[in-house]
Amino acid sequence: MFKKILIANRGEIACRIIRTARRMGVATVAVYSDADAGSMHVAMADEAVRIGPAPVTESYLVGERIVAAALETGAQAIHPGYGFLSENPDFVDRVVDAGLVFIGPSAASIRAMGLKDAAKRLMEKAGVPVVPGYHGEAQDIVLLASKATEIGYPVLIKARAGGGGRGMRRVDHPGDFAEALSSARREAKAAFGDDRVLVEKYVEKPRHIEVQVFGDNHGNAVHLFERDCSAQRRHQKVIEEAPAPGMTDEMRAAMTEAAIKAAKAIAYSGAGTIEFIVDASQGLRPDRFWFMEMNTRLQVEHPVTEMITGVDLVEWQLRVAHGEVLPLRQDEIELDGHAFEARLYAEDAARGFLPATGTLHHLWFPDEAAPGTSLRVETGVREGDTISPFYDPMIAKLVVHGPDRKTALDGLGDMLAETEIAGSTVNTAFLAALAADPDFASGDVDTGLIGRKQDELTAIPAPSGAVVAAAVLSASGLSDMANAGDPWSALAGYAHFHATPRRVTLGYGEEVVSAKVGVEAGRTFVELDARDGETLRLLPPSINLARWLGHVSVFDGPVSYTFAVPDPLDRADEAGGGTDSLRAPMPGLVKVVRAAAGDSVTKGQPLLILEAMKMEHSIAAPHDGVIVEIATEGSQVSDGTVLVRFAEQAGE
Ligand code: ADP
């Protein structure tokens, strides 16, 4: 076995690879950008090498520096993880040319699957069903349009170099073809420098079912069953599971046989995934699935396969890359139970899944599984770590295994309800709503399910009285006096200090929540000002919450509610009628600052540039005024952070 490997990745996948390597006695080298110097994968690895500044194009995508780091540290092999350089054949060549082993397939295998049209032609030849359509060389519009008519509308135009859904256009009517084609080509040209396309039959209400395959360098190839990844939003997977709900023996035999054919056609070595699109409008039928693409790497959702087979896929990757024969024969790989994986992201589901940033001031994952189930949390962050705008904002993958689908799904629901995260907006409630959705629960999922139910799945109910009461009590400071045990009875002893109720005011989004807290007859109560003028008096229940930097987050099942606890200094400002401020409309990076404290600025004057979602947003002065405070260049801000504070304005 290798003595030392380098992991050309970050976050949860780097940590996950390190764990297996350590168990196998293989030393690990991490690489990191400046933004990741203090991150979990760096702390976990035996050694770590800095490879550049935060942007990926200057660090995690610079193959040359990564290979140099491997040579410097004496690593014998490089594991690419997923994303970044994992499917870049030029990087594989570079690794091999340096005398190192790439833990993954050959550059030739990656190239064979790199372009959608060539891959489809290759698969067709190998006898793998491909989506009906045109994937030839000729590209003139008359030919493509006539092919579309032959295929039958609706059709899908796809960039052959495509990825991430770019250069993809659905066309419903022949009259729209020409325009859709030119727009797909423009997008493809800009994104990939290649405007060649293929035309496919558009499969209505499709399911995405993929097969995990594994090959070695001795001509063997096996499959490790399928995963269903139909729960997608804008072509991104949300909750994955294995096996696929409703899978029949006949369908599985047909799909896995096709997947093995695909892997053998390119002499595939290592872990790979064959993605199929399935027309399940009449149930799962062996003549209704088609090859879509092959991912020539370890997949994000690989843990569900590990949970149902008991195989450590990273261990297999290391063994195969080292030249060993596959550890198990096909007939030795068994499917046991059912597993789900939910991708927990720092994002605002209710606002179009806007990526979020922030510091994870409170982070807690459940560790106790219900009897018969087991849990696994794959994460690359710890409490106190930051989700930066530079990388994918995934916080963790929550994985549950149970003896059957229902038990596993219930386990996932519990896991989501018990997870506590404060400091960034997260999608826990959305994931829980999806897990609880009746169609999802019954296994009736297609790739459009989330889109159709988006409003319902992303709605956050208003905080209950109990939630507000818990926040108010925490902010009042009264709960801090409680020692171990029941805070409500422990407070009794302090009754005489608080004979007069205290008023507590909190911010909840744009709203102000106000309440009185007091102690009466030895029991603490919270009196909420209801909107209709009534008051709601209640004894707060015991509920989990976290206090952090001017906020309190209350966890009500999978939904977390964050209240701002006003800083007494801020209030003094307000009392003086003093300042007003400009807040960040979204999380991002303060790229350029064009003014300084003390400057007099005029309405409309650009003050700073915020980079968010890979775009630059110019922030201008909303009115004339004098700047008291302005954000620092290079700082990362979360949604709502004060960017500019203005001095008191005369005459308003
Ligand atoms: P990309 O490489 O850009 O991600 P894919 O070919 O992998 O593109 O397709 C992405 C997603 O688009 C699939 O998971 C599926 O949801 C949808 N899709 C792809 N091909 C078709 C098709 N022929 N009919 C309907 N939906 C499709």
Side-chain angles (χ1 to χ4, degrees), residues 116 131 156 158 162-166 168 200-204 206 208 232 235 275 277 292-293 447:
K116 292 182 198 294
V131 186
L156 192 63
K158 271 188 191 177
R166 278 169 303 176
M168 213 153 88
E200 278 182 2
K201 176 81 196 154
Y202 185 85
V203 183
E204 308 256 16
H208 172 121
Q232 301 183 352
H235 308 313
E275 294 191 338
I277 189 160
M292 217 166 23
E293 67 174 351
T447 60

Side-chain angles (χ1 to χ4, degrees), residues 128-480:
V128 176
V130 301
V131 186
Y134 172 75
H135 36 267
E137 295 275 354
Q139 292 285 305
D140 67 281
I141 176 162
V142 179
L143 175 98
L144 292 176
S146 78
K147 290 290 179 190
T149 305
E150 232 171 79
I151 296 160
Y153 285 86
V155 298
L156 192 63
I157 301 174
K158 271 188 191 177
R160 67 166 192 163
R166 278 169 303 176
M168 213 153 88
R169 292 287 183 282
R170 175 190 163 141
V171 194
D172 291 303
H173 308 287
D176 302 334
F177 189 83
E179 198 179 320
L181 176 66
S182 55
S183 118
R185 276 185 171 155
R186 266 196 313 276
E187 192 171 286
K189 184 82 190 166
F192 316 109
D194 178 347
D195 67 357
R196 305 180 69 165
V197 299
L198 49 156
V199 184
E200 278 182 2
K201 176 81 196 154
Y202 185 85
V203 183
E204 308 256 16
K205 286 191 118 194
R207 275 173 70 177
H208 172 121
I209 302 180
E210 57 186 35
V211 176
Q212 175 71 54
V213 292
F214 227 107
D216 64 18
N217 297 319
H218 307 276
N220 303 303
V222 296
H223 71 81
L224 292 101
F225 309 103
E226 78 281 356
R227 293 184 286 259
D228 193 311
C229 312
S230 302
Q232 301 183 352
R233 59 159 191 90
R234 281 193 232 117
H235 308 313
Q236 289 184 41
K237 298 164 185 170
V238 176
I239 296 182
E240 303 98 336
E241 60 181 301
M247 182 54 82
T248 61
D249 289 346
E250 193 194 11
M251 180 75 165
R252 176 174 292 136
M255 294 189 81
T256 55
E257 190 197 329
I260 297 273
K261 264 190 208 163
K264 288 206 161 154
I266 56 168
Y268 195 76
S269 169
T273 294
I274 316 288
E275 294 191 338
F276 294 105
I277 189 160
V278 180
D279 175 353
S281 56
Q282 292 164 29
L284 295 177
R285 284 179 37 177
D287 60 345
R288 295 282 174 90
F289 75 90
W290 302 281
F291 170 87
M292 217 166 23
E293 67 174 351
M294 177 170 189
N295 290 318
T296 50
R297 54 169 163 83
L298 191 68
Q299 203 91 327
V300 175
E301 60 274 22
H302 76 276
V304 292
T305 298
E306 298 186 321
M307 297 299 262
I308 60 158
T309 58
V311 167
D312 181 333
L313 292 172
V314 173
E315 177 184 340
W316 280 29
Q317 286 188 298
L318 264 58
R319 293 196 182 286
V320 163
H322 195 252
E324 290 181 30
V325 170
L326 284 176
L328 294 178
R329 287 193 319 262
Q330 188 67 65
D331 60 4
E332 293 171 322
I333 304 170
E334 281 174 33
L335 192 166
D336 170 44
H338 204 103
F340 284 94
E341 171 187 281
R343 298 188 186 191
L344 192 62
Y345 271 92
E347 66 180 14
D348 194 342
R351 287 170 62 196
F353 300 99
L354 214 58
T357 54
T359 299
L360 303 170
H361 290 287
H362 177 81
L363 182 67
W364 191 85
F365 297 113
D367 44 15
E368 265 179 51
T373 65
S374 51
L375 309 182
R376 181 167 153 189
V377 177
E378 293 291 343
T379 186
V381 288
R382 302 149 298 189
E383 189 167 279
D385 283 352
T386 300
I387 303 294
S388 83
F390 297 108
Y391 315 112
D392 182 68
M394 185 154 75
I395 295 174
K397 304 188 301 203
L398 305 185
V399 188
V400 190
H401 179 262
D404 54 72
R405 189 172 188 270
K406 173 153 191 344
T407 312
L409 189 57
D410 287 348
L412 180 66
D414 292 346
M415 204 175 180
L416 288 162
E418 288 165 32
T419 295
E420 295 177 7
I421 302 174
S424 181
T425 307
V426 292
N427 67 345
T428 325
F430 163 65
L431 294 172
L434 178 59
D437 177 80
D439 289 332
F440 186 82
S442 70
D444 181 14
V445 197
D446 66 85
T447 60
L449 174 93
I450 292 177
R452 288 192 300 275
K453 296 191 175 184
Q454 188 159 325
D455 290 348
E456 184 185 326
L457 293 173
T458 56
I460 299 285
S464 66
V467 164
V468 177
V472 163
L473 182 81
S474 168
S476 73
L478 277 171
S479 61
D480 300 336

